[in-house]
Amino acid sequence: MDVARMSAPRRLSIPIENHWGAGQMSVLDFGDPNRPVDLVFSHANGFNAATYRSLLSPLSASLRIWAPDLRGHGASGLPVFARPKASWLDHRDDLLALLEAIDGPPVVLAGHSMGGTASLLAAAERPDRVSSLVLFDPVIWRRSAVFAFNLPFAHRLMAGIPIAKATRRRRAIFDSREQALAAYRGRGAFKGWPDMVLADYLSEGLVETPEGLSLSATPAWEAANYAAQAHNPWRAMRRYPGPIRILKAEHGALTFVPVSQKGLGDVTVEVVSGAGHLFPMTHADVARDALFEAAV
């Protein structure tokens, strides 16, 4: 495990082409390159694949893992668009294209928050390519809210929700990585993060520009994703026939699937004791065990 933890993942560039726009998706490739891909892990909104390096690296002793930078995040070169963003179907379709690039048997699809929801949406479209799902506090609103979000033009109103407005005001430029680390350490969403995880996030979360170090996921794009909720994860859960394991936060969960649920097929929901929405960063051992159990 120690050797695996120290081994840097390889950087792959996977061509993606769909009606959302063509480009290169950056993927971190953990584990033995001579074995088939076992698991694909997608990150939360505003983050990047490298943020989860300390979560995923120890698993690379036994598993091969692909961790993509979703559209508009990290080192991926997939274009973002100016028109109002209504849903996460772009991320779903990018994951579908990524699945097409993977040789071998069906894989475990996993993800955190937006990445978990996008994985669920993709699995519903291509269940033949997905052996199971492991989702860490995926964004699944109550059914009534999902119905409202899918009404015509609802996405235009969603641009004014508090989290989107606050995100658009985020500081986007830093003079150095040290300055960004000092600004984030122990504050807001980053409270309780180990310094190593925060440093991993900043390693790909900041890019050099003439103005300074800029967030690779711009505040405008992150806010657009928060406001874009016109997709239906409940329908996706009903359509996907394989096992779905959901780990939800005890505090501030964005998953509104109850622990005792009926009519959704092979879905299990567990609460991570003492954890908030970003528990893969603060309770990595729990998340890592769930990934390992699904993929071996």
Side-chain angles (χ1 to χ4, degrees):
M1 283 291 191
D2 291 338
V3 173
R5 190 186 298 271
M6 292 187 295
S7 299
R10 297 166 294 278
R11 174 80 65 182
L12 306 180
S13 187
I14 307 296
I16 301 292
E17 184 172 358
N18 52 42
H19 68 281
W20 305 104
Q24 299 292 316
M25 174 177 272
S26 178
V27 175
L28 293 183
D29 181 16
F30 296 82
D32 183 353
N34 296 314
R35 67 174 290 142
V37 175
D38 299 289
L39 185 150
V40 175
F41 182 90
S42 296
H43 60 78
N45 186 29
F47 298 116
N48 53 66
T51 309
Y52 302 83
R53 194 191 325 254
S54 62
L55 166 66
L56 300 175
S57 287
L59 296 171
S60 65
S62 304
L63 305 173
R64 187 177 180 193
I65 302 168
W66 275 16
D69 285 334
L70 299 179
R71 185 178 295 261
H73 295 77
S76 279
L78 295 166
V80 298
F81 38 84
R83 69 181 186 272
K85 179 178 168 67
S87 72
W88 292 346
L89 299 186
D90 53 342
H91 300 306
R92 177 200 70 179
D93 293 347
D94 293 341
L95 288 178
L96 290 172
L98 187 64
L99 287 174
E100 291 295 328
I102 297 175
D103 295 325
V107 300
V108 175
L109 272 190
H112 177 210
S113 192
M114 182 179 76
T117 308
S119 297
L120 171 60
L121 297 172
E125 298 298 316
R126 287 299 307 271
D128 58 306
R129 295 295 300 133
V130 180
S131 59
S132 68
L133 285 160
V134 181
L135 311 178
F136 300 145
D137 213 38
V139 181
I140 302 176
W141 303 110
R142 294 182 176 89
R143 288 181 175 90
S144 57
V146 171
F147 175 81
F149 295 152
N150 280 271
L151 293 173
F153 307 114
H155 65 281
R156 298 182 186 275
L157 300 176
M158 290 290 289
I161 63 175
I163 192 171
K165 292 172 68 175
T167 299
R168 286 192 291 270
R169 295 194 298 267
R170 280 188 68 188
R171 179 178 179 176
I173 303 291
F174 294 90
D175 296 331
S176 67
R177 297 184 189 277
E178 292 75 20
Q179 185 186 59
L181 183 66
Y184 289 149
R185 181 186 283 127
R187 298 181 182 177
F190 301 99
K191 187 175 182 180
W193 285 35
D195 275 358
M196 179 181 296
V197 179
L198 183 53
D200 282 342
Y201 158 62
L202 293 173
S203 71
E204 301 292 343
L206 295 173
V207 294
E208 293 187 10
T209 69
E211 293 77 26
L213 289 171
S214 176
L215 292 173
S216 57
T218 67
W221 180 248
E222 184 180 352
N225 279 300
Y226 284 130
Q229 300 297 317
H231 43 264
N232 194 331
W234 293 95
R235 181 171 59 196
M237 278 190 286
R238 291 193 299 270
R239 290 182 59 197
Y240 177 66
I244 303 174
R245 184 180 181 187
I246 297 175
L247 278 68
K248 62 187 291 185
E250 182 177 14
H251 308 294
L254 296 183
T255 297
F256 288 88
V257 184
V259 173
S260 300
Q261 49 73 33
K262 298 179 181 179
L264 290 176
D266 191 3
V267 179
T268 59
V269 182
E270 307 155 45
V271 175
V272 181
S273 178
H277 177 62
L278 299 182
F279 71 80
M281 292 75 164
T282 61
H283 296 63
D285 53 340
V286 175
R288 191 180 299 116
D289 286 348
L291 295 175
F292 184 77
E293 290 167 13
V296 295

mmCIF file of all heavy atoms in Angstrom, residues 240-272:
data_model
loop_
_atom_site.group_PDB
_atom_site.id
_atom_site.type_symbol
_atom_site.label_atom_id
_atom_site.label_comp_id
_atom_site.label_asym_id
_atom_site.label_seq_id
_atom_site.Cartn_x
_atom_site.Cartn_y
_atom_site.Cartn_z
ATOM 1 N N TYR A 240 -31.713 1.861 -13.914
ATOM 2 C CA TYR A 240 -30.478 1.078 -13.816
ATOM 3 C C TYR A 240 -30.752 -0.204 -13.034
ATOM 4 O O TYR A 240 -31.176 -0.156 -11.873
ATOM 5 C CB TYR A 240 -29.365 1.885 -13.142
ATOM 6 C CG TYR A 240 -28.108 1.081 -12.966
ATOM 7 C CD1 TYR A 240 -27.373 0.651 -14.069
ATOM 8 C CD2 TYR A 240 -27.668 0.702 -11.706
ATOM 9 C CE1 TYR A 240 -26.226 -0.112 -13.918
ATOM 10 C CE2 TYR A 240 -26.527 -0.062 -11.536
ATOM 11 C CZ TYR A 240 -25.822 -0.471 -12.646
ATOM 12 O OH TYR A 240 -24.696 -1.247 -12.493
ATOM 13 N N PRO A 241 -30.484 -1.373 -13.609
ATOM 14 C CA PRO A 241 -30.870 -2.637 -12.951
ATOM 15 C C PRO A 241 -29.849 -3.187 -11.964
ATOM 16 O O PRO A 241 -30.149 -4.116 -11.221
ATOM 17 C CB PRO A 241 -31.023 -3.590 -14.145
ATOM 18 C CG PRO A 241 -30.025 -3.086 -15.147
ATOM 19 C CD PRO A 241 -30.018 -1.582 -14.987
ATOM 20 N N GLY A 242 -28.638 -2.636 -11.955
ATOM 21 C CA GLY A 242 -27.592 -3.188 -11.105
ATOM 22 C C GLY A 242 -27.606 -2.615 -9.703
ATOM 23 O O GLY A 242 -28.438 -1.773 -9.348
ATOM 24 N N PRO A 243 -26.648 -3.047 -8.866
ATOM 25 C CA PRO A 243 -26.581 -2.564 -7.478
ATOM 26 C C PRO A 243 -26.151 -1.094 -7.411
ATOM 27 O O PRO A 243 -25.225 -0.672 -8.106
ATOM 28 C CB PRO A 243 -25.523 -3.467 -6.833
ATOM 29 C CG PRO A 243 -25.276 -4.578 -7.796
ATOM 30 C CD PRO A 243 -25.649 -4.094 -9.144
ATOM 31 N N ILE A 244 -26.835 -0.347 -6.561
ATOM 32 C CA ILE A 244 -26.495 1.048 -6.297
ATOM 33 C C ILE A 244 -26.283 1.195 -4.795
ATOM 34 O O ILE A 244 -27.197 0.947 -4.004
ATOM 35 C CB ILE A 244 -27.611 2.012 -6.751
ATOM 36 C CG1 ILE A 244 -27.919 1.838 -8.238
ATOM 37 C CG2 ILE A 244 -27.217 3.459 -6.449
ATOM 38 C CD1 ILE A 244 -29.118 2.655 -8.711
ATOM 39 N N ARG A 245 -25.073 1.581 -4.406
ATOM 40 C CA ARG A 245 -24.772 1.827 -2.992
ATOM 41 C C ARG A 245 -24.568 3.323 -2.799
ATOM 42 O O ARG A 245 -23.682 3.917 -3.432
ATOM 43 C CB ARG A 245 -23.538 1.054 -2.547
ATOM 44 C CG ARG A 245 -23.241 1.202 -1.051
ATOM 45 C CD ARG A 245 -22.007 0.421 -0.649
ATOM 46 N NE ARG A 245 -21.756 0.563 0.787
ATOM 47 C CZ ARG A 245 -20.655 0.096 1.400
ATOM 48 N NH1 ARG A 245 -19.736 -0.576 0.692
ATOM 49 N NH2 ARG A 245 -20.484 0.275 2.684
ATOM 50 N N ILE A 246 -25.382 3.928 -1.969
ATOM 51 C CA ILE A 246 -25.307 5.351 -1.684
ATOM 52 C C ILE A 246 -24.847 5.548 -0.252
ATOM 53 O O ILE A 246 -25.445 5.008 0.681
ATOM 54 C CB ILE A 246 -26.667 6.035 -1.899
ATOM 55 C CG1 ILE A 246 -27.096 5.939 -3.371
ATOM 56 C CG2 ILE A 246 -26.615 7.499 -1.453
ATOM 57 C CD1 ILE A 246 -28.493 6.478 -3.637
ATOM 58 N N LEU A 247 -23.773 6.309 -0.083
ATOM 59 C CA LEU A 247 -23.336 6.741 1.237
ATOM 60 C C LEU A 247 -23.654 8.224 1.347
ATOM 61 O O LEU A 247 -23.176 9.024 0.531
ATOM 62 C CB LEU A 247 -21.837 6.512 1.437
ATOM 63 C CG LEU A 247 -21.392 5.103 1.830
ATOM 64 C CD1 LEU A 247 -21.627 4.110 0.689
ATOM 65 C CD2 LEU A 247 -19.916 5.086 2.234
ATOM 66 N N LYS A 248 -24.497 8.585 2.306
ATOM 67 C CA LYS A 248 -24.910 9.976 2.448
ATOM 68 C C LYS A 248 -24.379 10.574 3.734
ATOM 69 O O LYS A 248 -24.114 9.861 4.714
ATOM 70 C CB LYS A 248 -26.434 10.092 2.381
ATOM 71 C CG LYS A 248 -27.169 9.367 3.481
ATOM 72 C CD LYS A 248 -28.696 9.372 3.262
ATOM 73 C CE LYS A 248 -29.308 10.739 3.423
ATOM 74 N NZ LYS A 248 -30.794 10.685 3.334
ATOM 75 N N ALA A 249 -24.215 11.873 3.729
ATOM 76 C CA ALA A 249 -23.704 12.578 4.894
ATOM 77 C C ALA A 249 -24.734 12.593 6.011
ATOM 78 O O ALA A 249 -25.943 12.612 5.758
ATOM 79 C CB ALA A 249 -23.333 13.998 4.501
ATOM 80 N N GLU A 250 -24.249 12.605 7.242
ATOM 81 C CA GLU A 250 -25.160 12.758 8.370
ATOM 82 C C GLU A 250 -25.609 14.212 8.509
ATOM 83 O O GLU A 250 -26.733 14.486 8.916
ATOM 84 C CB GLU A 250 -24.484 12.297 9.662
ATOM 85 C CG GLU A 250 -25.405 12.375 10.883
ATOM 86 C CD GLU A 250 -24.767 11.863 12.161
ATOM 87 O OE1 GLU A 250 -23.523 11.683 12.201
ATOM 88 O OE2 GLU A 250 -25.511 11.634 13.138
ATOM 89 N N HIS A 251 -24.715 15.140 8.151
ATOM 90 C CA HIS A 251 -25.016 16.557 8.296
ATOM 91 C C HIS A 251 -24.948 17.241 6.927
ATOM 92 O O HIS A 251 -23.969 17.083 6.201
ATOM 93 C CB HIS A 251 -24.019 17.230 9.245
ATOM 94 C CG HIS A 251 -23.877 16.527 10.559
ATOM 95 N ND1 HIS A 251 -24.910 16.457 11.477
ATOM 96 C CD2 HIS A 251 -22.826 15.858 11.095
ATOM 97 C CE1 HIS A 251 -24.498 15.789 12.537
ATOM 98 N NE2 HIS A 251 -23.242 15.401 12.330
ATOM 99 N N GLY A 252 -25.962 17.997 6.575
ATOM 100 C CA GLY A 252 -25.950 18.753 5.330
ATOM 101 C C GLY A 252 -25.984 17.897 4.085
ATOM 102 O O GLY A 252 -25.454 18.291 3.037
ATOM 103 N N ALA A 253 -26.615 16.736 4.153
ATOM 104 C CA ALA A 253 -26.665 15.836 3.005
ATOM 105 C C ALA A 253 -27.426 16.463 1.843
ATOM 106 O O ALA A 253 -28.430 17.161 2.032
ATOM 107 C CB ALA A 253 -27.320 14.516 3.390
ATOM 108 N N LEU A 254 -26.942 16.204 0.633
ATOM 109 C CA LEU A 254 -27.636 16.602 -0.585
ATOM 110 C C LEU A 254 -28.333 15.410 -1.242
ATOM 111 O O LEU A 254 -28.861 15.533 -2.340
ATOM 112 C CB LEU A 254 -26.668 17.262 -1.566
ATOM 113 C CG LEU A 254 -26.053 18.576 -1.074
ATOM 114 C CD1 LEU A 254 -25.174 19.184 -2.164
ATOM 115 C CD2 LEU A 254 -27.114 19.561 -0.629
ATOM 116 N N THR A 255 -28.309 14.276 -0.559
ATOM 117 C CA THR A 255 -29.037 13.084 -0.990
ATOM 118 C C THR A 255 -30.312 12.969 -0.167
ATOM 119 O O THR A 255 -30.247 12.819 1.054
ATOM 120 C CB THR A 255 -28.183 11.816 -0.780
ATOM 121 O OG1 THR A 255 -27.010 11.896 -1.590
ATOM 122 C CG2 THR A 255 -28.964 10.572 -1.178
ATOM 123 N N PHE A 256 -31.453 13.013 -0.858
ATOM 124 C CA PHE A 256 -32.732 12.920 -0.161
ATOM 125 C C PHE A 256 -33.396 11.565 -0.384
ATOM 126 O O PHE A 256 -34.609 11.435 -0.257
ATOM 127 C CB PHE A 256 -33.645 14.078 -0.590
ATOM 128 C CG PHE A 256 -33.204 15.401 -0.034
ATOM 129 C CD1 PHE A 256 -32.285 16.181 -0.715
ATOM 130 C CD2 PHE A 256 -33.675 15.833 1.187
ATOM 131 C CE1 PHE A 256 -31.859 17.400 -0.199
ATOM 132 C CE2 PHE A 256 -33.261 17.049 1.725
ATOM 133 C CZ PHE A 256 -32.342 17.843 1.021
ATOM 134 N N VAL A 257 -32.590 10.559 -0.702
ATOM 135 C CA VAL A 257 -33.087 9.190 -0.771
ATOM 136 C C VAL A 257 -33.074 8.633 0.647
ATOM 137 O O VAL A 257 -32.017 8.609 1.294
ATOM 138 C CB VAL A 257 -32.213 8.311 -1.690
ATOM 139 C CG1 VAL A 257 -32.812 6.919 -1.824
ATOM 140 C CG2 VAL A 257 -32.042 8.961 -3.055
ATOM 141 N N PRO A 258 -34.202 8.205 1.182
ATOM 142 C CA PRO A 258 -34.225 7.723 2.569
ATOM 143 C C PRO A 258 -33.503 6.393 2.719
ATOM 144 O O PRO A 258 -33.378 5.617 1.766
ATOM 145 C CB PRO A 258 -35.717 7.574 2.863
ATOM 146 C CG PRO A 258 -36.358 7.386 1.539
ATOM 147 C CD PRO A 258 -35.543 8.185 0.560
ATOM 148 N N VAL A 259 -33.017 6.150 3.925
ATOM 149 C CA VAL A 259 -32.359 4.872 4.210
ATOM 150 C C VAL A 259 -33.334 3.726 3.985
ATOM 151 O O VAL A 259 -32.966 2.685 3.426
ATOM 152 C CB VAL A 259 -31.812 4.870 5.653
ATOM 153 C CG1 VAL A 259 -31.280 3.489 6.013
ATOM 154 C CG2 VAL A 259 -30.725 5.917 5.806
ATOM 155 N N SER A 260 -34.560 3.882 4.425
ATOM 156 C CA SER A 260 -35.604 2.880 4.176
ATOM 157 C C SER A 260 -36.420 3.333 2.972
ATOM 158 O O SER A 260 -37.281 4.199 3.083
ATOM 159 C CB SER A 260 -36.510 2.738 5.408
ATOM 160 O OG SER A 260 -35.769 2.330 6.529
ATOM 161 N N GLN A 261 -36.101 2.798 1.814
ATOM 162 C CA GLN A 261 -36.790 3.200 0.588
ATOM 163 C C GLN A 261 -37.333 1.966 -0.124
ATOM 164 O O GLN A 261 -36.835 0.862 0.042
ATOM 165 C CB GLN A 261 -35.866 4.013 -0.311
ATOM 166 C CG GLN A 261 -34.490 3.420 -0.567
ATOM 167 C CD GLN A 261 -34.465 2.228 -1.490
ATOM 168 O OE1 GLN A 261 -35.257 2.137 -2.413
ATOM 169 N NE2 GLN A 261 -33.563 1.296 -1.238
ATOM 170 N N LYS A 262 -38.374 2.174 -0.915
ATOM 171 C CA LYS A 262 -39.005 1.078 -1.656
ATOM 172 C C LYS A 262 -39.224 1.505 -3.110
ATOM 173 O O LYS A 262 -39.323 2.686 -3.415
ATOM 174 C CB LYS A 262 -40.350 0.718 -1.022
ATOM 175 C CG LYS A 262 -40.259 0.207 0.413
ATOM 176 C CD LYS A 262 -41.647 -0.104 0.980
ATOM 177 C CE LYS A 262 -41.558 -0.591 2.412
ATOM 178 N NZ LYS A 262 -42.896 -0.887 2.988
ATOM 179 N N GLY A 263 -39.264 0.516 -3.970
ATOM 180 C CA GLY A 263 -39.603 0.772 -5.361
ATOM 181 C C GLY A 263 -38.473 1.263 -6.229
ATOM 182 O O GLY A 263 -38.704 1.698 -7.354
ATOM 183 N N LEU A 264 -37.229 1.177 -5.731
ATOM 184 C CA LEU A 264 -36.098 1.678 -6.517
ATOM 185 C C LEU A 264 -35.152 0.563 -6.947
ATOM 186 O O LEU A 264 -34.065 0.843 -7.432
ATOM 187 C CB LEU A 264 -35.326 2.728 -5.715
ATOM 188 C CG LEU A 264 -36.039 4.065 -5.508
ATOM 189 C CD1 LEU A 264 -35.202 4.973 -4.621
ATOM 190 C CD2 LEU A 264 -36.326 4.750 -6.837
ATOM 191 N N GLY A 265 -35.532 -0.672 -6.762
ATOM 192 C CA GLY A 265 -34.656 -1.759 -7.171
ATOM 193 C C GLY A 265 -33.566 -2.026 -6.155
ATOM 194 O O GLY A 265 -33.758 -1.894 -4.941
ATOM 195 N N ASP A 266 -32.368 -2.355 -6.646
ATOM 196 C CA ASP A 266 -31.253 -2.781 -5.795
ATOM 197 C C ASP A 266 -30.477 -1.560 -5.306
ATOM 198 O O ASP A 266 -29.328 -1.330 -5.687
ATOM 199 C CB ASP A 266 -30.356 -3.732 -6.579
ATOM 200 C CG ASP A 266 -29.330 -4.429 -5.695
ATOM 201 O OD1 ASP A 266 -29.353 -4.212 -4.467
ATOM 202 O OD2 ASP A 266 -28.501 -5.182 -6.243
ATOM 203 N N VAL A 267 -31.123 -0.767 -4.448
ATOM 204 C CA VAL A 267 -30.521 0.459 -3.919
ATOM 205 C C VAL A 267 -30.377 0.326 -2.404
ATOM 206 O O VAL A 267 -31.338 0.013 -1.711
ATOM 207 C CB VAL A 267 -31.383 1.695 -4.248
ATOM 208 C CG1 VAL A 267 -30.757 2.963 -3.663
ATOM 209 C CG2 VAL A 267 -31.571 1.840 -5.755
ATOM 210 N N THR A 268 -29.159 0.552 -1.908
ATOM 211 C CA THR A 268 -28.928 0.607 -0.464
ATOM 212 C C THR A 268 -28.398 1.985 -0.106
ATOM 213 O O THR A 268 -27.586 2.560 -0.848
ATOM 214 C CB THR A 268 -27.924 -0.461 0.003
ATOM 215 O OG1 THR A 268 -26.672 -0.266 -0.665
ATOM 216 C CG2 THR A 268 -28.440 -1.860 -0.306
ATOM 217 N N VAL A 269 -28.874 2.516 1.009
ATOM 218 C CA VAL A 269 -28.488 3.852 1.464
ATOM 219 C C VAL A 269 -27.967 3.750 2.886
ATOM 220 O O VAL A 269 -28.623 3.166 3.759
ATOM 221 C CB VAL A 269 -29.679 4.829 1.400
ATOM 222 C CG1 VAL A 269 -29.238 6.226 1.831
ATOM 223 C CG2 VAL A 269 -30.283 4.864 0.005
ATOM 224 N N GLU A 270 -26.778 4.297 3.113
ATOM 225 C CA GLU A 270 -26.154 4.284 4.427
ATOM 226 C C GLU A 270 -25.752 5.701 4.806
ATOM 227 O O GLU A 270 -25.364 6.490 3.943
ATOM 228 C CB GLU A 270 -24.909 3.392 4.423
ATOM 229 C CG GLU A 270 -25.145 1.980 3.902
ATOM 230 C CD GLU A 270 -23.866 1.355 3.360
ATOM 231 O OE1 GLU A 270 -22.829 1.468 4.036
ATOM 232 O OE2 GLU A 270 -23.915 0.783 2.262
ATOM 233 N N VAL A 271 -25.825 6.012 6.074
ATOM 234 C CA VAL A 271 -25.426 7.322 6.580
ATOM 235 C C VAL A 271 -24.019 7.211 7.172
ATOM 236 O O VAL A 271 -23.741 6.308 7.973
ATOM 237 C CB VAL A 271 -26.413 7.832 7.640
ATOM 238 C CG1 VAL A 271 -25.925 9.141 8.252
ATOM 239 C CG2 VAL A 271 -27.799 8.008 7.026
ATOM 240 N N VAL A 272 -23.127 8.129 6.779
ATOM 241 C CA VAL A 272 -21.769 8.168 7.320
ATOM 242 C C VAL A 272 -21.797 9.001 8.595
ATOM 243 O O VAL A 272 -21.982 10.217 8.557
ATOM 244 C CB VAL A 272 -20.784 8.755 6.299
ATOM 245 C CG1 VAL A 272 -19.364 8.763 6.879
ATOM 246 C CG2 VAL A 272 -20.811 7.941 4.999
#
